[in-house]
Amino acid sequence: MTVLVMHHRGTLTGTPYLDWLADYDGDVLLVASREHLALVSEELPEEGGAFRRTAAVDGYETSGELEARVLEFAREHGVSHIIACQELDLERAAGLREVLGLPGQRMDTVLPYRDKSEMKRLVTAAGLAVAPYRDVECATELIGFAEQHGFPVVLKPRDSAGSVGLRILDSRAELDAYLADEFDLYGPDQPNLIVEAFVHGSMCHVDGLVVDGRVALAWPSQYQYTLASFATDTGPRIDLTLDLDDPLAHRLLEFTERTIEALSGPADFAFHLEAFHTPDDEIVLCEIACRTGGAAIRDIVRTMFGIDPSESWVRAQLGLPLPEWIGAEKVLPRQMSGQLVLMKRPGRVVSIPQEPPPFPWIEKYQVFVQPGHTMKAAKFSADFLLMALVSGRDRAECEARLRKLEEWFLAGLVLEPVAD
């Protein structure tokens, strides 16, 4: 038995595969992105230690070297499972499993979670609400959609992740400027664009785990900000779990189960669903991913339920034991959680708080810059200055604690402007 791990983004420290697989009776191989290891200042582990074989791939996202190296390792070591936890690796891992005849998620169960157009088609057929949408293959289709549904309209790649490539066009003037300066009929995003009507309301997300084809655990949270504003939002971006007695929480859980049933996913996977709660009290699907949510979602689930969803996802795929309570009926969070994010913004960091915050209810605290670092506007939705997580008895207590933490951090943050 040999498992091969594809590691695209994030730190190896933050995704401790070897700890997760400590009781795995076989070898573990690692293929990682050289570029992203460098970005997080990590070295590729040496071969022959805990990892039997390791490789760092140049051009991981765009070249075929990743597939070549995985197939090479598979031939040499009889790989029995491929593990891939990052969004942009899901399709590539599925294709490699098909070529090698390996168990796990295949293309037919990946694409409904990666292709937003197919996702919306299947969910609509199941009687669930989605925003009006259409695929965009020419400028006329985009103009016609805007004339039919009005502004704003939302434009995004069908297979995007982390809000990369997302555009909100608020007026005909903005649409005309986009068509004149950015729309490329034969560019890399064509014919890969989808346009949606803008949905007013708050954004909620539901995070959980499917084991043996059924939702084993899940709970909703609600963003207190607009996701697409990451490049310009310098205020606190707060995310709060919903209370146990909140009727919306239980409606969102039912909506999530129906969505997963409509998409016919794999037997074992983590998921991150985003849905709008409109002023008319309707739940409308934004999208769902068959992987753990980004930012501090893993830590939010860990705080609520006491398990790491990515670890449980990996172990379930390999048939390794999970906590006995996973799969029990109506598992409820043991406590609530809240997340605070501050995005990077232009400026040079003069000083930041150097000591950990003096609050016992902090579950995670991470600063992504140091004095002397020059920041630019955030480039994607996880381009953070600060990320922190707290626990509490309910939503109100979590929010009060996040506000207190924000005030403490900003009191010690000093930035100076820099020339463009």
Side-chain angles (χ1 to χ4, degrees):
M1 297 277 289
T2 300
V3 60
L4 185 146
V5 175
M6 292 168 50
H7 182 79
H8 184 183
R9 297 188 176 190
T11 65
L12 292 170
T13 303
T15 47
Y17 302 106
L18 294 174
D19 291 342
W20 297 350
L21 302 176
D23 56 344
Y24 177 69
D25 186 19
D27 293 323
V28 183
L29 318 179
L30 173 69
V31 179
S33 164
R34 188 186 305 278
E35 175 188 9
H36 285 280
L37 287 176
L39 284 175
V40 297
S41 301
E42 284 192 342
E43 298 289 335
L44 183 73
E46 292 185 2
E47 290 187 337
F51 289 104
R52 181 175 180 184
R53 293 291 304 276
T54 62
V57 171
D58 294 308
Y60 185 104
E61 295 185 8
T62 56
S63 78
E65 186 181 349
L66 169 65
E67 284 77 5
R69 189 55 61 93
V70 170
L71 292 172
E72 173 192 338
F73 279 9
R75 287 193 298 268
E76 293 178 0
H77 300 282
V79 168
S80 57
H81 294 84
I82 292 176
I83 296 297
C85 294
Q86 278 87 29
E87 173 89 6
L88 298 180
D89 284 346
L90 296 176
E91 289 168 90
R92 300 174 84 176
L96 285 162
R97 292 187 192 105
E98 291 183 356
V99 169
L100 295 167
L102 301 182
Q105 190 170 25
R106 300 292 184 89
M107 278 295 198
D108 61 338
T109 59
V110 170
L111 288 178
Y113 288 87
R114 290 285 296 129
D115 184 329
K116 299 181 192 339
S117 180
E118 177 68 0
M119 177 192 304
K120 293 174 186 294
R121 183 187 69 79
L122 292 170
V123 169
T124 300
L128 298 171
V130 304
Y133 72 97
R134 75 167 299 166
D135 299 338
V136 176
E137 297 187 11
C138 66
T140 304
E141 292 174 339
L142 180 52
I143 294 169
F145 184 89
E147 289 180 346
Q148 179 182 358
H149 295 283
F151 292 94
V153 296
V154 181
L155 192 65
K156 64 179 79 169
R158 288 168 57 170
D159 59 355
S160 66
S163 298
V164 174
L166 183 146
R167 294 288 303 272
I168 298 177
L169 304 176
D170 289 310
S171 65
R172 181 56 191 261
E174 289 190 13
L175 173 58
D176 290 344
Y178 170 79
L179 292 173
D181 300 331
E182 299 181 53
F183 185 80
D184 183 354
L185 184 60
Y186 302 104
D189 287 337
Q190 296 294 334
N192 190 36
L193 290 176
I194 184 173
V195 61
E196 303 173 356
F198 187 87
V199 179
H200 295 277
S202 62
M203 175 74 83
C204 302
H205 61 97
V206 184
D207 299 281
L209 182 70
V210 170
V211 178
D212 291 333
R214 63 177 298 273
V215 176
L217 61 90
W219 198 254
S221 302
Q222 189 173 54
Y223 297 115
Q224 309 300 300
Y225 58 90
T226 303
L227 269 66
S229 64
F230 61 85
T232 57
D233 185 0
T234 58
R237 294 165 73 86
I238 288 177
D239 181 21
L240 298 166
T241 52
L242 299 183
D243 288 333
L244 293 175
D245 60 355
D246 189 333
L248 177 60
H250 299 279
R251 290 175 58 200
L252 285 163
L253 291 174
E254 180 185 3
F255 185 91
T256 299
E257 294 222 22
R258 292 182 61 193
T259 299
I260 290 172
E261 182 179 352
L263 300 183
S264 302
D268 306 298
F269 65 102
F271 63 84
H272 174 71
L273 176 143
E274 293 177 342
F276 303 100
H277 181 219
T278 72
D280 296 329
D281 197 30
E282 186 180 19
I283 296 175
V284 178
L285 179 69
C286 177
E287 57 192 61
I288 182 173
C290 57
R291 45 83 179 166
T292 311
I297 297 297
R298 282 172 54 200
D299 300 285
I300 289 172
V301 175
R302 185 188 292 115
T303 299
M304 289 192 293
F305 293 102
I307 60 107
D308 183 325
S310 291
E311 176 182 6
S312 296
W313 172 25
V314 168
R315 292 180 62 84
Q317 291 177 77
L318 300 178
L320 297 175
L322 300 176
E324 291 183 359
W325 56 266
I326 290 183
E329 295 296 328
K330 296 183 180 179
V331 177
L332 297 175
R334 60 187 187 182
Q335 61 183 344
M336 291 303 161
S337 183
Q339 177 184 190
L340 168 68
V341 163
L342 296 177
M343 304 304 298
K344 289 180 181 175
R345 69 286 313 269
R348 190 179 73 85
V349 180
V350 178
S351 65
I352 57 173
Q354 293 299 311
E355 298 296 326
F359 309 119
W361 28 259
I362 290 181
E363 301 290 337
K364 185 172 184 178
Y365 173 82
Q366 191 170 3
V367 180
F368 294 84
V369 298
Q370 292 296 327
H373 183 101
T374 298
M375 294 187 291
K376 297 181 180 180
K379 296 181 180 179
F380 52 94
S381 60
D383 199 4
F384 302 147
L385 164 61
L386 166 75
M387 187 276 291
L389 193 74
V390 306
S391 57
R393 291 168 296 182
D394 54 27
R395 174 174 175 161
E397 184 171 66
C398 289
E399 182 170 8
R401 289 175 170 179
L402 290 173
R403 301 288 183 188
K404 185 173 183 178
L405 174 60
E406 179 205 5
E407 181 180 5
W408 174 87
F409 179 80
L410 292 179
L413 173 68
V414 178
L415 301 178
E416 65 179 17
V418 294
D420 293 335

